[in-house]
Amino acid sequence: MDGLDLIRNSIKEMMEELFDNCTERNGILRSMAGHLGVTDTDAIVDVLLESGFDDEAPYPVLHFMVTLAKDIADKDAGRISIALNELNHIIAVGDYPSFGAFSYYPKLHQIFLSYRLPVNPEVPEEEIINIRYYFGTLYQQLDIFADFIMFLCDTKGRSLSIDDYIDYLQSVEDIDDIEERARALSERLDRIEREMRGNTGGSDDE
């Protein structure tokens, strides 16, 4: 078994272990990441081994593509793109450093997370360690930020700015405690809703 085959087989095993499922079609490995965040949402995780960006590229490239939302209305595209740029700033230089970038793809009306990782097939064991580390951080990244993506796509008008969302995360003592996160998020949304009613002169009796 050559280095690339070893890496590909190891990735499939990791995806089955982490997400409890993995299929392969046309060279693409796909898993469904379930039960993410307080909203208990799902995401599609695709992994493709690319030959490289050009003929002179020294190594092949693993492309991780995670689809988090689809069927985005055209009228919401601008607002969502701005919010995703703000989120990318947070994961690039903020308190929640992560890999990749969140984007909106107009052609398919989807929100996705994309990350490319060059791999050296001459040292597959070392690359497998790096890939396993990435998968661990990816799951945490999805679990933390999937809720923000869901609020961006909420058509009922309940939304959080990135500043409000980060404040909510920082108010949670144990980020792995989903019940604590649910309580903190509900309290944050209720407070924002009360503030909005106050700013517009509304009342609970309306």
Side-chain angles (χ1 to χ4, degrees):
M1 182 181 297
D2 65 19
L4 285 181
D5 287 336
L6 182 59
I7 290 173
R8 185 182 293 105
N9 290 343
S10 297
I11 292 173
K12 187 173 183 179
E13 291 176 0
M14 292 179 204
M15 294 173 74
E16 290 174 342
E17 176 185 343
L18 185 59
F19 305 116
D20 294 325
N21 63 91
C22 182
T23 60
E24 183 172 2
R25 183 176 181 182
N26 298 327
I28 300 175
L29 295 172
R30 169 170 291 186
S31 291
M32 180 69 72
H35 308 296
L36 300 172
V38 173
T39 52
D40 196 33
T41 190
D42 300 329
I44 300 172
V45 181
D46 290 322
V47 183
L48 173 65
L49 187 62
E50 301 174 333
S51 59
F53 297 123
D54 55 56
D55 294 338
E56 297 181 357
Y59 303 125
V61 175
L62 281 174
H63 188 186
F64 300 86
M65 176 76 74
V66 183
T67 304
L68 294 116
K70 59 183 181 178
D71 300 325
I72 304 297
D74 289 334
K75 64 181 180 62
D76 296 323
R79 171 182 62 83
I80 285 176
S81 295
I82 292 173
L84 292 178
N85 285 337
E86 293 174 338
L87 177 56
N88 286 332
H89 180 76
I90 292 295
I91 67 175
V93 297
D95 293 331
Y96 298 91
S98 306
F99 295 96
F102 292 92
S103 300
Y104 169 68
Y105 186 34
K107 189 173 181 179
L108 294 178
H109 303 281
Q110 293 178 344
I111 295 174
F112 64 90
L113 171 66
S114 179
Y115 179 63
R116 282 186 168 93
L117 175 67
V119 291
N120 183 355
E122 300 300 321
V123 287
E125 293 83 3
E126 295 180 12
E127 297 294 7
I128 288 168
I129 292 173
N130 292 332
I131 295 166
R132 182 173 293 277
Y133 173 76
Y134 171 68
F135 269 124
T137 61
L138 172 64
Y139 192 88
Q140 184 180 42
Q141 182 179 5
L142 294 176
D143 188 56
I144 290 176
F145 291 115
D147 290 327
F148 181 71
I149 301 299
M150 292 303 100
F151 279 108
L152 281 182
C153 302
D154 188 355
T155 59
K156 297 179 181 178
R158 300 194 84 190
S159 63
L160 286 172
S161 69
I162 188 61
D163 290 335
D164 284 326
Y165 192 79
I166 296 303
D167 285 345
Y168 141 69
L169 290 177
Q170 293 176 339
S171 72
V172 177
E173 292 186 7
D174 183 1
I175 201 68
D176 295 321
D177 187 336
I178 197 67
E179 292 184 358
E180 181 187 0
R181 284 166 59 184
R183 288 194 300 271
L185 184 56
S186 179
E187 291 172 0
R188 174 77 51 168
L189 288 169
D190 288 344
R191 192 187 75 187
I192 291 174
E193 189 173 339
R194 289 195 302 270
E195 291 175 351
M196 290 179 63
R197 286 201 303 266
N199 290 336
T200 58
S203 69
D204 293 337
D205 295 331
E206 292 182 354

